[in-house]
Amino acid sequence: MNTMPKKIVMTVMLLGLTAFIGLSQPQATGILKGTVADETGAPLPGVALTLTDMATKAEFKTRSDAKGAFVFSVLPPGKYELRAELAGFKKLVAKALTVKAGQTTTVGLKMLPGALNDEHVVKEAERREKTEFLGGVVGGVMPARATYPAQMPPDFSTEEYDRIYELRFLSAIDNPLSTFSIDVDTASYANVRRFLKSNSIPPKDSVRIEEMVNYFVYDYPLPEGDKPFSISAEVSSCPWNPSRRLVHIGLQGREIRSDKLPPSNLVFLIDVSGSMNAPEKLPLLKSSFKLLVDSLTADDRVSIVVYAGAAGLVLPSTPGDRKEKILGALDNLQAGGSTAGGAGIELAYRTAAENFIPKGNNRVILATDGDFNIGVSSTGDLVRLIEEKRDRGIFLTIAGFGMGNYKDSRMEQLADKGNGNYYYIDGLLEAKKVFVDEMRGTLFTIAKDVKIQVEFNPAKVKAYRLVGYETRMLRSEDFADDRKDAGELGAGHTVTALYEIIPYGSKEPVPGLDELKYQQTVIKPEAFKLPELMTVKLRYKDPDGDTSRLITAPVVDTGVVLEKTSDDFRFAAAVAQAGLLLRDSEFKGRSSIDGVLDLARGAKGKDKEGYRAEFIQLMELYRLLLKE
């Protein structure tokens, strides 16, 4: 028998209602803006600014623009501490800044020369500070925020990229098998484009060559029969090292007409924390998701989960044709607070499970800058959380937004471990590519846990190197182990991989094993008679299956010269060569930006969407940046 007093029950209900209203209604907020200058009054651009709510300890970050100006928008009322950091100056700390609802607090700060580990606490008497009424604009309106300078000082970027250790050449007789998971992510290319268009060279570890190559669509033959994809291969001389051979492997996923796609159960998991308070983050995110909503039908369902200091369901599962309701929920989102990413992921997967569509596309779409800092926040904990959820038939797509504090390494790992795809959205055109042109294919997975294993013929190959895929490598025994997770392939998608080959008989030295004491490795006499350079083997599972299927395809080097290869071969080689240059790879050989441009211009092909032409323009920009 329930003996809880009615008064207590009513109190709990009111508290719950208040919490719900807090999630769904805009709060009265204020703005803190200002300028930062040196002791002479000259503006200081690129100053790293961190604003801390003294009550909740929530942090908000930005940088001063070219005029030394900065803005923190949509702030909960209260007392704040502002920290300013710039190389060559003492760390500046301004305490007890007051933000009031419906008002703008303006501060003028000066930084003193010195070392960063020296701290200068600015008292109220030493700073200019005033508060102005916002003219009735309270909560729900986010003014334009100060933009980042075109090229941010690298010392103050908090963007995170995992160290990439490039794959090395392996002896074919000692290491006859090369095994890896497919990768259809394209985030790295869009992120590299963002840096180049900002007139800066991207960090080396932001360049994942396989994601650059796979950004582009290639004209591979469609699969025959009931196979989910086809395998094709092409071999010619390596553009950056003509004494070697380059093998181009292409997979083409089965295409499915849009009217034949099953319904989708989508959960938009949207980061509305303070770190998303920037024009290139939450506002761009909203515009991007609206493009996807426009393509949904009455058979599709959409839920929206948000997370900041806490996670909440702001839109229960809603039919895709109720566009006004869905778009209204998106429009009401505001940024503010710290980031409880783990709680949001938990709620999103629970929401997807509660609205699960058998034989449908059940997917969480996470949109964030990756800056998780409350609750489950370490990359390891988040990966484990994602791994627990992936086997329930709910797939994951991650869309990254923003700059300055972008956490690429975290999102790449989450997508990898969560049966997912990972994109970076640097503008509305990329949003259209991801959420309109390709999303219907992305939403429909035709094969999961797709693994590639290449067996090299040591009578034809002395050594080999896989170009890229460093984060996707598997052990040889993982290939036939159906418990081992791997990448997913969507309808109509292509996957491309490149191997650089040192031919058998080459006098070029390659690393190998010391002579073994107890066994001897020899090449079968039949291997010298076979025309095959190698054999490509693929394993995949049906989207709802647990047992893998095997497809094999031999690859023969017919001696085709580079000029006679397909446009796809030469263009993929040009993109890979650009990646080697951007990474300043030890394996770049004779690579040059002129060589990249010559190869790409001659292989542009039909280029219906203009993506190859854009790559050529980016490489021309890169050439100019190299001369600075």
Coordinates of all heavy atoms in Angstrom, one line a residue, residues 250-328:
G250 N 38.3 -0.9 -55.1 CA 37.0 -0.2 -54.9 C 35.9 -1.1 -54.6 O 35.7 -2.1 -55.2
L251 N 35.0 -0.7 -53.6 CA 33.8 -1.4 -53.3 C 32.6 -0.5 -53.7 O 32.7 0.7 -53.4 CB 33.7 -1.7 -51.8 CG 34.8 -2.5 -51.1 CD1 34.4 -2.8 -49.7 CD2 35.2 -3.7 -51.9
Q252 N 31.6 -1.0 -54.3 CA 30.4 -0.3 -54.6 C 29.2 -0.9 -54.0 O 28.9 -2.1 -54.3 CB 30.2 -0.2 -56.2 CG 28.9 0.4 -56.6 CD 28.8 1.8 -56.3 OE1 29.6 2.7 -56.7 NE2 27.8 2.2 -55.5
G253 N 28.5 -0.2 -53.1 CA 27.3 -0.7 -52.5 C 26.1 -0.7 -53.4 O 26.0 0.1 -54.3
R254 N 25.2 -1.7 -53.1 CA 24.0 -1.8 -53.9 C 23.1 -0.5 -53.7 O 23.0 0.0 -52.6 CB 23.2 -3.0 -53.4 CG 21.9 -3.3 -54.2 CD 21.2 -4.6 -53.7 NE 20.7 -4.4 -52.4 CZ 21.2 -5.1 -51.3 NH1 22.2 -5.9 -51.5 NH2 20.6 -4.9 -50.2
E255 N 22.6 0.0 -54.8 CA 21.8 1.2 -54.7 C 20.3 0.7 -54.5 O 19.9 -0.3 -55.0 CB 21.9 2.0 -56.0 CG 23.3 2.6 -56.2 CD 23.4 3.4 -57.5 OE1 22.5 3.3 -58.3 OE2 24.4 4.2 -57.6
I256 N 19.6 1.5 -53.8 CA 18.2 1.3 -53.5 C 17.4 2.5 -53.7 O 17.8 3.6 -53.3 CB 18.0 0.8 -52.0 CG1 18.8 -0.5 -51.7 CG2 16.5 0.6 -51.7 CD1 18.7 -1.0 -50.3
R257 N 16.3 2.4 -54.5 CA 15.5 3.6 -54.8 C 14.9 4.1 -53.5 O 14.6 3.4 -52.5 CB 14.3 3.2 -55.7 CG 14.7 2.9 -57.1 CD 13.6 2.3 -57.9 NE 12.3 2.8 -57.6 CZ 11.2 2.3 -58.1 NH1 11.2 1.3 -58.9 NH2 10.0 2.9 -57.8
S258 N 14.8 5.5 -53.4 CA 14.3 6.1 -52.2 C 12.9 5.6 -51.8 O 12.6 5.5 -50.6 CB 14.3 7.6 -52.4 OG 15.6 8.2 -52.6
D259 N 12.1 5.3 -52.8 CA 10.7 4.9 -52.4 C 10.7 3.5 -51.9 O 9.6 3.0 -51.5 CB 9.7 5.1 -53.6 CG 10.2 4.3 -54.8 OD1 11.3 3.8 -54.8 OD2 9.4 4.2 -55.8
K260 N 11.8 2.8 -52.0 CA 11.9 1.4 -51.5 C 12.6 1.3 -50.1 O 12.6 0.2 -49.6 CB 12.7 0.5 -52.5 CG 12.0 0.4 -53.9 CD 10.7 -0.3 -53.8 CE 10.2 -0.5 -55.3 NZ 8.8 -1.2 -55.2
L261 N 13.0 2.4 -49.6 CA 13.7 2.4 -48.3 C 12.7 2.2 -47.2 O 11.6 2.8 -47.3 CB 14.5 3.8 -48.1 CG 15.7 4.0 -49.0 CD1 16.2 5.4 -48.8 CD2 16.8 3.0 -48.7
P262 N 13.1 1.5 -46.2 CA 12.2 1.3 -45.1 C 12.1 2.5 -44.2 O 12.9 3.4 -44.4 CB 12.8 0.1 -44.3 CG 14.3 0.2 -44.7 CD 14.3 0.7 -46.1
P263 N 11.1 2.7 -43.4 CA 11.0 3.9 -42.5 C 12.1 4.0 -41.5 O 12.8 3.1 -41.2 CB 9.6 3.7 -41.8 CG 9.4 2.2 -41.8 CD 10.0 1.7 -43.1
S264 N 12.3 5.3 -41.1 CA 13.4 5.6 -40.2 C 12.9 6.0 -38.8 O 11.9 6.7 -38.7 CB 14.3 6.7 -40.8 OG 14.9 6.3 -42.0
N265 N 13.6 5.5 -37.8 CA 13.3 6.0 -36.4 C 14.6 6.7 -36.0 O 15.6 6.1 -35.7 CB 13.0 4.8 -35.5 CG 13.2 5.1 -34.0 OD1 12.9 6.2 -33.6 ND2 13.8 4.1 -33.3
L266 N 14.5 8.1 -36.1 CA 15.7 8.9 -35.8 C 15.6 9.6 -34.5 O 14.6 10.1 -34.1 CB 15.9 9.9 -36.9 CG 15.9 9.4 -38.4 CD1 16.1 10.6 -39.3 CD2 17.1 8.4 -38.6
V267 N 16.7 9.6 -33.8 CA 16.8 10.4 -32.6 C 18.0 11.4 -32.8 O 19.1 11.1 -32.9 CB 17.2 9.5 -31.3 CG1 17.3 10.4 -30.1 CG2 16.1 8.5 -31.1
F268 N 17.6 12.7 -32.8 CA 18.6 13.8 -32.9 C 19.1 14.0 -31.5 O 18.4 14.4 -30.6 CB 18.0 15.1 -33.4 CG 17.5 15.0 -34.9 CD1 16.7 16.0 -35.4 CD2 17.7 13.9 -35.7 CE1 16.2 16.0 -36.7 CE2 17.3 13.8 -37.0 CZ 16.5 14.9 -37.5
L269 N 20.4 13.7 -31.3 CA 21.0 14.0 -30.0 C 21.9 15.2 -30.1 O 22.9 15.2 -30.8 CB 21.8 12.8 -29.6 CG 22.7 12.9 -28.3 CD1 21.8 13.3 -27.1 CD2 23.4 11.6 -28.0
I270 N 21.4 16.3 -29.6 CA 22.0 17.6 -29.9 C 22.7 18.2 -28.6 O 22.1 18.4 -27.6 CB 20.9 18.6 -30.4 CG1 20.4 18.0 -31.7 CG2 21.5 20.0 -30.7 CD1 19.2 18.8 -32.3
D271 N 23.9 18.6 -28.8 CA 24.7 19.2 -27.7 C 24.3 20.7 -27.7 O 24.5 21.5 -28.7 CB 26.2 19.1 -28.1 CG 27.1 19.7 -27.1 OD1 26.6 20.4 -26.1 OD2 28.4 19.5 -27.2
V272 N 23.7 21.2 -26.6 CA 23.3 22.6 -26.4 C 24.1 23.2 -25.3 O 23.7 24.1 -24.6 CB 21.8 22.8 -26.2 CG1 21.1 22.4 -27.5 CG2 21.3 22.0 -25.0
S273 N 25.3 22.7 -25.0 CA 26.1 23.2 -23.9 C 26.7 24.5 -24.3 O 26.6 24.9 -25.5 CB 27.2 22.2 -23.6 OG 28.1 22.0 -24.7
G274 N 27.4 25.2 -23.3 CA 28.0 26.5 -23.6 C 29.0 26.5 -24.7 O 29.2 27.5 -25.4
S275 N 29.7 25.4 -24.9 CA 30.7 25.3 -25.9 C 30.2 25.4 -27.3 O 30.9 25.6 -28.3 CB 31.6 24.1 -25.8 OG 30.9 22.9 -26.1
M276 N 28.8 25.2 -27.4 CA 28.2 25.2 -28.8 C 27.7 26.6 -29.1 O 27.0 26.8 -30.1 CB 27.0 24.2 -28.8 CG 27.4 22.8 -28.7 SD 28.3 22.2 -30.2 CE 27.0 22.2 -31.4
N277 N 28.0 27.6 -28.2 CA 27.5 28.9 -28.4 C 28.4 29.7 -29.4 O 29.2 30.5 -29.0 CB 27.5 29.6 -27.0 CG 26.8 31.0 -27.1 OD1 26.2 31.4 -28.1 ND2 26.9 31.7 -26.0
A278 N 28.2 29.4 -30.7 CA 29.0 30.1 -31.7 C 28.3 29.9 -33.0 O 27.6 28.9 -33.2 CB 30.4 29.5 -31.8
P279 N 28.4 30.9 -33.9 CA 27.7 30.8 -35.2 C 27.9 29.5 -36.0 O 27.0 29.0 -36.7 CB 28.2 32.0 -36.0 CG 28.6 33.0 -34.9 CD 29.2 32.1 -33.8
E280 N 29.2 29.0 -36.0 CA 29.5 27.8 -36.7 C 29.1 26.5 -36.0 O 29.4 25.4 -36.5 CB 31.0 27.8 -37.1 CG 31.9 27.5 -35.9 CD 32.2 28.7 -35.0 OE1 31.6 29.8 -35.2 OE2 33.0 28.5 -34.0
K281 N 28.5 26.7 -34.9 CA 28.1 25.5 -34.1 C 26.5 25.3 -34.1 O 26.0 24.8 -35.0 CB 28.7 25.5 -32.7 CG 30.2 25.4 -32.7 CD 30.8 25.3 -31.3 CE 32.3 25.2 -31.4 NZ 32.9 25.0 -30.0
L282 N 25.9 25.8 -33.0 CA 24.5 25.5 -32.8 C 23.6 26.1 -34.0 O 22.7 25.4 -34.5 CB 23.9 25.9 -31.5 CG 22.5 25.5 -31.2 CD1 22.3 24.0 -31.2 CD2 22.1 26.0 -29.8
P283 N 23.8 27.4 -34.4 CA 23.0 27.9 -35.5 C 23.2 27.1 -36.8 O 22.2 26.8 -37.5 CB 23.5 29.3 -35.6 CG 24.0 29.7 -34.3 CD 24.6 28.4 -33.8
L284 N 24.4 26.7 -37.1 CA 24.7 25.9 -38.3 C 24.1 24.5 -38.1 O 23.5 23.9 -39.1 CB 26.2 25.8 -38.6 CG 26.6 24.9 -39.7 CD1 26.0 25.3 -41.0 CD2 28.1 24.8 -39.8
L285 N 24.1 24.0 -36.9 CA 23.6 22.6 -36.6 C 22.1 22.7 -36.9 O 21.5 21.8 -37.6 CB 23.8 22.3 -35.2 CG 23.4 21.0 -34.6 CD1 24.3 20.6 -33.4 CD2 22.0 20.9 -34.2
K286 N 21.4 23.7 -36.4 CA 19.9 23.8 -36.6 C 19.6 23.8 -38.1 O 18.7 23.1 -38.6 CB 19.4 25.1 -36.0 CG 19.4 25.1 -34.5 CD 18.8 26.4 -34.0 CE 18.8 26.5 -32.5 NZ 18.2 27.8 -32.0
S287 N 20.3 24.7 -38.9 CA 20.1 24.8 -40.3 C 20.3 23.4 -41.0 O 19.6 23.1 -42.0 CB 21.0 25.9 -40.9 OG 20.7 27.1 -40.3
S288 N 21.3 22.7 -40.6 CA 21.7 21.4 -41.2 C 20.6 20.4 -40.9 O 20.2 19.7 -41.9 CB 23.0 20.9 -40.6 OG 24.1 21.9 -40.8
F289 N 20.1 20.3 -39.7 CA 19.1 19.3 -39.4 C 17.8 19.6 -40.1 O 17.0 18.7 -40.4 CB 18.9 19.2 -37.9 CG 19.8 18.3 -37.2 CD1 21.2 18.4 -37.4 CD2 19.4 17.2 -36.4 CE1 22.1 17.5 -36.8 CE2 20.2 16.3 -35.8 CZ 21.6 16.5 -36.0
K290 N 17.5 20.9 -40.3 CA 16.3 21.3 -41.1 C 16.3 20.7 -42.5 O 15.3 20.4 -43.0 CB 16.1 22.8 -41.1 CG 15.8 23.4 -39.7 CD 15.7 24.9 -39.8 CE 15.3 25.5 -38.4 NZ 15.3 27.0 -38.4
L291 N 17.5 20.7 -43.1 CA 17.6 20.1 -44.4 C 17.2 18.6 -44.4 O 16.5 18.1 -45.3 CB 19.0 20.2 -44.9 CG 19.6 21.6 -45.2 CD1 21.0 21.6 -45.6 CD2 18.7 22.3 -46.3
L292 N 17.6 17.9 -43.3 CA 17.2 16.5 -43.2 C 15.8 16.3 -43.0 O 15.1 15.5 -43.6 CB 18.1 15.8 -42.1 CG 17.7 14.4 -41.7 CD1 17.8 13.5 -42.9 CD2 18.6 13.9 -40.6
V293 N 15.2 17.1 -42.1 CA 13.8 17.1 -41.8 C 12.9 17.2 -43.0 O 11.9 16.6 -43.2 CB 13.4 18.1 -40.7 CG1 11.9 18.2 -40.5 CG2 14.1 17.8 -39.4
D294 N 13.4 18.1 -43.9 CA 12.6 18.4 -45.1 C 12.4 17.2 -46.0 O 11.5 17.1 -46.8 CB 13.3 19.5 -45.9 CG 12.5 20.1 -47.0 OD1 11.3 20.5 -46.8 OD2 12.9 20.1 -48.2
S295 N 13.3 16.2 -45.9 CA 13.2 15.0 -46.7 C 12.5 13.8 -46.1 O 12.3 12.8 -46.7 CB 14.6 14.5 -47.1 OG 15.3 14.0 -46.0
L296 N 12.0 14.0 -44.8 CA 11.4 12.9 -44.2 C 9.9 12.8 -44.6 O 9.3 13.7 -45.0 CB 11.4 13.1 -42.6 CG 12.9 13.2 -42.1 CD1 12.8 13.4 -40.6 CD2 13.6 11.9 -42.4
T297 N 9.3 11.6 -44.4 CA 7.9 11.3 -44.8 C 7.1 10.9 -43.5 O 7.7 10.8 -42.4 CB 7.9 10.2 -45.8 OG1 8.2 8.9 -45.1 CG2 8.8 10.4 -46.9
A298 N 5.8 10.7 -43.7 CA 4.9 10.4 -42.6 C 5.3 9.0 -42.0 O 5.0 8.8 -40.8 CB 3.5 10.3 -43.1
D299 N 6.0 8.2 -42.7 CA 6.4 6.9 -42.2 C 7.6 7.0 -41.3 O 7.9 6.0 -40.5 CB 6.7 5.9 -43.3 CG 5.5 5.6 -44.2 OD1 4.4 5.6 -43.6 OD2 5.6 5.3 -45.4
D300 N 8.3 8.1 -41.4 CA 9.5 8.3 -40.5 C 9.1 8.9 -39.2 O 8.1 9.5 -39.0 CB 10.5 9.2 -41.2 CG 11.0 8.6 -42.6 OD1 11.3 7.4 -42.6 OD2 11.0 9.4 -43.5
R301 N 10.0 8.7 -38.2 CA 9.8 9.2 -36.9 C 11.0 10.0 -36.4 O 12.2 9.6 -36.7 CB 9.5 8.1 -35.8 CG 8.5 7.1 -36.2 CD 7.1 7.6 -36.1 NE 6.7 8.0 -34.7 CZ 5.5 8.4 -34.4 NH1 4.5 8.5 -35.3 NH2 5.2 8.8 -33.1
V302 N 10.8 11.1 -35.7 CA 11.9 11.9 -35.2 C 11.7 12.2 -33.7 O 10.6 12.6 -33.3 CB 12.1 13.2 -36.0 CG1 13.1 14.1 -35.3 CG2 12.4 13.0 -37.4
S303 N 12.7 12.0 -32.9 CA 12.8 12.5 -31.5 C 14.0 13.4 -31.4 O 15.0 13.3 -32.1 CB 12.9 11.3 -30.5 OG 12.0 10.3 -30.8
I304 N 13.9 14.3 -30.4 CA 15.0 15.2 -30.2 C 15.4 15.1 -28.7 O 14.6 15.4 -27.8 CB 14.7 16.7 -30.6 CG1 14.4 16.8 -32.1 CG2 15.9 17.6 -30.2 CD1 14.1 18.2 -32.5
V305 N 16.6 14.8 -28.4 CA 17.2 14.7 -27.1 C 18.3 15.8 -27.1 O 19.1 15.9 -28.0 CB 17.8 13.4 -26.7 CG1 18.6 13.4 -25.4 CG2 16.7 12.3 -26.7
V306 N 18.3 16.6 -26.0 CA 19.4 17.6 -25.9 C 20.1 17.3 -24.6 O 19.6 16.7 -23.7 CB 18.8 19.1 -25.8 CG1 18.1 19.4 -27.1 CG2 17.9 19.3 -24.6
Y307 N 21.4 17.8 -24.5 CA 22.1 17.7 -23.3 C 23.0 18.9 -23.1 O 23.6 19.4 -24.0 CB 23.0 16.4 -23.2 CG 24.0 16.3 -24.3 CD1 25.3 16.7 -24.1 CD2 23.7 15.8 -25.6 CE1 26.3 16.6 -25.0 CE2 24.7 15.6 -26.5 CZ 26.0 16.1 -26.3 OH 26.9 16.0 -27.2
A308 N 23.0 19.4 -21.9 CA 24.0 20.4 -21.4 C 24.4 20.0 -20.0 O 25.0 19.0 -19.8 CB 23.3 21.8 -21.5
G309 N 23.9 20.8 -19.0 CA 24.2 20.4 -17.6 C 23.5 19.1 -17.3 O 23.8 18.4 -16.4
A310 N 22.4 18.8 -18.0 CA 21.6 17.6 -17.9 C 21.0 17.3 -19.2 O 21.1 18.0 -20.2 CB 20.4 17.8 -16.8
A311 N 20.5 16.1 -19.3 CA 19.9 15.6 -20.6 C 18.4 15.7 -20.5 O 17.8 15.4 -19.5 CB 20.4 14.2 -20.9
G312 N 17.7 15.9 -21.6 CA 16.3 16.0 -21.6 C 15.7 15.7 -23.0 O 16.3 15.9 -24.0
L313 N 14.5 15.2 -23.0 CA 13.7 14.9 -24.2 C 12.9 16.1 -24.5 O 11.9 16.4 -23.8 CB 12.9 13.6 -24.0 CG 12.0 13.2 -25.2 CD1 12.9 12.7 -26.4 CD2 11.1 12.1 -24.8
V314 N 13.2 16.8 -25.6 CA 12.4 18.0 -25.9 C 11.4 17.8 -27.0 O 10.5 18.6 -27.2 CB 13.4 19.2 -26.3 CG1 14.3 19.6 -25.1 CG2 14.2 18.9 -27.5
L315 N 11.6 16.7 -27.7 CA 10.5 16.3 -28.7 C 10.4 14.8 -28.7 O 11.3 14.0 -29.1 CB 11.0 16.7 -30.1 CG 10.0 16.4 -31.2 CD1 8.8 17.3 -31.2 CD2 10.6 16.5 -32.6
P316 N 9.2 14.3 -28.2 CA 8.9 12.9 -28.2 C 8.8 12.4 -29.7 O 8.7 13.2 -30.6 CB 7.6 12.7 -27.5 CG 7.4 14.0 -26.8 CD 8.1 15.1 -27.6
S317 N 8.9 11.1 -29.9 CA 8.8 10.6 -31.3 C 7.7 11.1 -32.0 O 6.5 11.0 -31.6 CB 8.7 9.0 -31.2 OG 8.9 8.5 -32.5
T318 N 8.0 11.8 -33.2 CA 7.0 12.5 -34.0 C 7.1 12.1 -35.4 O 8.2 12.0 -36.0 CB 7.3 14.0 -33.8 OG1 7.2 14.4 -32.4 CG2 6.3 14.9 -34.6
P319 N 5.9 11.9 -36.1 CA 5.9 11.6 -37.5 C 6.7 12.6 -38.3 O 6.7 13.8 -38.1 CB 4.5 11.6 -37.9 CG 3.7 11.3 -36.6 CD 4.5 12.0 -35.6
G320 N 7.4 12.1 -39.4 CA 8.3 13.0 -40.2 C 7.5 14.1 -40.9 O 8.1 15.0 -41.4
D321 N 6.2 13.9 -41.2 CA 5.4 14.9 -41.9 C 4.9 16.0 -41.0 O 4.4 17.0 -41.5 CB 4.3 14.3 -42.7 CG 3.3 13.6 -41.7 OD1 3.6 13.4 -40.6 OD2 2.1 13.3 -42.2
R322 N 5.1 15.9 -39.6 CA 4.8 17.0 -38.7 C 6.0 18.0 -38.7 O 6.5 18.2 -37.6 CB 4.5 16.4 -37.3 CG 3.4 15.4 -37.3 CD 2.0 16.0 -37.2 NE 1.9 17.0 -36.1 CZ 1.6 16.7 -34.8 NH1 1.3 15.4 -34.5 NH2 1.5 17.6 -33.9
K323 N 6.3 18.5 -39.8 CA 7.5 19.3 -39.9 C 7.5 20.6 -39.1 O 8.5 21.0 -38.5 CB 7.8 19.6 -41.4 CG 8.0 18.3 -42.3 CD 8.4 18.7 -43.7 CE 8.3 17.5 -44.6 NZ 9.1 16.3 -44.1
E324 N 6.3 21.2 -39.0 CA 6.2 22.4 -38.2 C 6.6 22.2 -36.8 O 7.3 23.0 -36.2 CB 4.8 22.9 -38.3 CG 4.7 24.5 -38.3 CD 3.3 25.0 -38.6 OE1 2.9 24.9 -39.8 OE2 2.6 25.4 -37.6
K325 N 6.1 21.1 -36.2 CA 6.4 20.7 -34.8 C 7.9 20.4 -34.6 O 8.5 20.9 -33.7 CB 5.6 19.5 -34.4 CG 5.7 19.2 -32.9 CD 4.8 18.0 -32.5 CE 4.9 17.7 -31.0 NZ 4.0 16.6 -30.7
I326 N 8.5 19.7 -35.6 CA 9.9 19.3 -35.5 C 10.8 20.5 -35.6 O 11.7 20.8 -34.8 CB 10.3 18.2 -36.5 CG1 9.4 17.0 -36.4 CG2 11.8 17.9 -36.4 CD1 9.6 16.0 -37.5
L327 N 10.5 21.4 -36.6 CA 11.3 22.6 -36.8 C 11.1 23.6 -35.7 O 12.1 24.2 -35.3 CB 10.9 23.2 -38.2 CG 11.1 22.4 -39.4 CD1 10.6 23.1 -40.7 CD2 12.6 22.1 -39.6
G328 N 10.0 23.6 -35.1 CA 9.7 24.5 -34.0 C 10.6 24.1 -32.8 O 11.2 24.9 -32.1

